[in-house]
Amino acid sequence: AQSVTQLDSHVSVSEGTPVLLRCNYSSSYSPSLFWYVQHPNKGLQLLLKYTSAATLVKGINGFEAEFKKSETSFHLTKPSAHMSDAAEYFCVVSLPSGGSYIPTFGRGTSLIVHP
Amino acid sequence: DADVTQTPRNRITKTGKRIMLECSQTKGHDRMYWYRQDPGLGLQLIYYSFDVKDINKGEISDGYSVSRQAQAKFSLSLESAIPNQTALYFCATSEGLAGGPAPDTQYFGPGTRLTVL
């Protein structure tokens, strides 16, 4: 079975401090991995994706993620949080299933940014 | 104009009523998806369609049906709504690669908030 686990349901940081949102996956295959962000009362927007190229992936708004196969992880980081980063973040793994790739979402991590 | 639109944006209905949620896209993508979002559960896939003639059940299809009227339109129906179908519903599209499957970026609509009383 394939799955994706976001290790924290909530992460709270102060503005200007680093952000770390953790994601682990389980799979027998080499996955494609995505991070999406959902701001309040909005749809989801792609932050970044990994599709077997460089293991360190840079995304929008200063976010980046590193694919570590040995740890089956794809953690999202940002050096300095901004108030506008407060949102829900979803890790998504896309794995082959019956000849297609079906995305599976983690349960989400709510990022809270304090002034 | 938004690339993926959903109507209605909000709907309150009663148990037992039939409800249709509509999704339209101008991105020209073949693949379309319906998800529901419940607090703390992430997004769960209800149905997906890789082209007009292809409809597939997702992980939580019971109580739902879909119709792919055209490449650009994908509707979700609740034949007889029940309170535990109260949720935020999202439509999404993705491009795919010609001739084969691909793990590609999804583009989401703004969501429909459905309340079943």
Side-chain angles (χ1 to χ4, degrees):
Chain A
Q2 53 222 22
S3 69
V4 56
T5 302
Q6 292 184 242
L7 296 162
D8 306 292
S9 59
H10 297 83
V11 169
S12 182
V13 301
S14 297
E15 190 174 20
T17 63
V19 175
L20 170 64
L21 306 183
R22 298 182 293 166
C23 175
N24 285 94
Y25 69 92
S26 63
S27 172
S28 308
Y29 304 94
S30 294
S32 289
L33 296 155
F34 304 76
W35 276 98
Y36 287 86
V37 60
Q38 182 184 26
H39 290 279
N41 301 312
K42 301 281 188 179
L44 282 74
Q45 178 187 17
L46 179 72
L47 269 180
L48 50 79
K49 65 180 179 181
Y50 167 78
T51 56
S52 76
T55 56
L56 182 62
V57 182
K58 294 188 183 298
I60 62 172
N61 300 332
F63 284 94
E64 62 182 35
E66 186 172 8
F67 172 67
K68 292 186 177 181
K69 187 175 181 178
S70 61
E71 299 176 9
T72 61
S73 69
F74 190 57
H75 301 335
L76 182 70
T77 61
K78 183 174 181 178
S80 178
H82 192 273
M83 294 297 292
S84 61
D85 294 327
E88 190 84 13
Y89 291 80
F90 294 96
C91 181
V92 179
V93 59
S94 189
L95 294 160
S97 176
S100 302
Y101 282 84
I102 305 301
T104 300
F105 281 72
R107 295 192 170 199
T109 297
S110 178
L111 177 63
I112 302 161
V113 182
H114 299 285
Chain B
D1 288 338
D3 294 320
V4 184
T5 57
Q6 293 183 234
T7 56
R9 293 293 311 279
N10 289 282
R11 181 72 184 268
I12 299 173
T13 191
K14 295 182 179 180
T15 297
K17 294 291 187 180
R18 184 178 187 274
I19 296 296
M20 179 180 286
L21 308 183
E22 298 187 344
C23 177
S24 294
Q25 53 115 345
T26 59
K27 298 191 74 66
H29 290 168
D30 285 328
R31 301 180 178 191
M32 298 187 74
Y33 310 77
W34 274 105
Y35 291 92
R36 66 175 280 173
Q37 183 181 22
D38 298 278
L41 294 181
L43 273 70
Q44 296 173 280
L45 184 61
I46 306 173
Y47 272 94
Y48 62 99
S49 169
F50 280 3
D51 65 41
V52 174
K53 297 180 181 179
D54 176 75
I55 303 288
N56 303 280
K57 292 183 177 180
E59 55 190 310
I60 57 162
S61 59
D62 287 348
Y64 301 94
S65 63
V66 291
S67 173
R68 185 80 184 266
Q69 301 95 322
Q71 186 204 39
K73 296 185 182 295
F74 192 35
S75 300
L76 176 72
S77 294
L78 288 68
E79 296 300 326
S80 180
I82 56 176
N84 77 358
Q85 292 177 313
T86 293
L88 188 56
Y89 289 84
F90 285 103
C91 174
T93 74
S94 67
E95 183 175 13
L97 290 177
D104 46 356
T105 301
Q106 292 178 294
Y107 297 86
F108 287 83
T112 294
R113 187 169 296 280
L114 177 66
T115 303
V116 184
L117 302 176

